[in-house]
């Protein structure tokens, strides 16, 4: 019966089974996912920007929604941090981080 508790190693399986596997701390693994995504999507980036600017109402609406969806919890959490840390950390620190 297989058990995850105390199984010894993670990830489970044979690393050699994946021919594209890279070492966790190798230079090739550094930001590999981002590099692979940029390589794969680079031909569509220009058209994505053009499409986004072609309908500015949708883009501005999405930007404003995300701005306030992120800012409201940051300000609230920053207010709590301000009280808990006796003014050492506050909303400004949460927003800039």
């Amino acid at each position: 019966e297989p058990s995850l508790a105390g199984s010894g190693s993670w990830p489970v399986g044979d690393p050699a089974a994946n021919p594209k596997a890279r070492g966790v701390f190798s230079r090739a693994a550094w930001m590999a996912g981002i590099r692979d995504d940029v390589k794969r999507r680079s031909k569509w980036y220009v058209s994505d920007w053009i499409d986004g600017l072609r309908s500015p109402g949708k883009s501005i609406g999405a930007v404003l929604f995300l701005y306030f969806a992120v800012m409201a919890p940051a300000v609230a959490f920053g207010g709590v941090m301000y009280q808990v840390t006796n003014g050492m950390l506050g909303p400004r620190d949460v927003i800039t981080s």
Side-chain angles (χ1 to χ4, degrees):
E1 177 178 329
S3 171
L4 293 177
S7 61
S9 67
W10 182 262
V12 179
D14 181 16
N18 182 358
K20 293 184 177 182
R22 301 175 176 121
V24 175
F25 297 109
S26 71
R27 190 169 280 240
W30 178 250
M31 295 181 63
I34 294 173
R35 281 183 295 167
D36 293 344
D37 186 47
V38 169
K39 283 180 191 174
R40 192 178 69 246
R41 296 271 313 151
S42 63
K43 55 187 161 191
W44 292 291
Y45 280 141
V46 173
S47 70
D48 289 346
W49 278 95
I50 291 171
D51 293 344
L53 295 174
R54 197 173 283 155
S55 57
K58 289 182 181 179
S59 298
I60 292 171
V63 167
L64 288 174
F65 171 76
L66 289 173
Y67 177 77
F68 288 110
V70 171
M71 290 301 287
V75 170
F77 182 64
V80 171
M81 279 183 60
Y82 185 81
Q83 291 177 348
V84 171
T85 63
N86 295 321
M88 297 296 288
L89 297 170
R92 179 185 60 220
D93 303 302
V94 174
I95 291 168
T96 56
S97 67

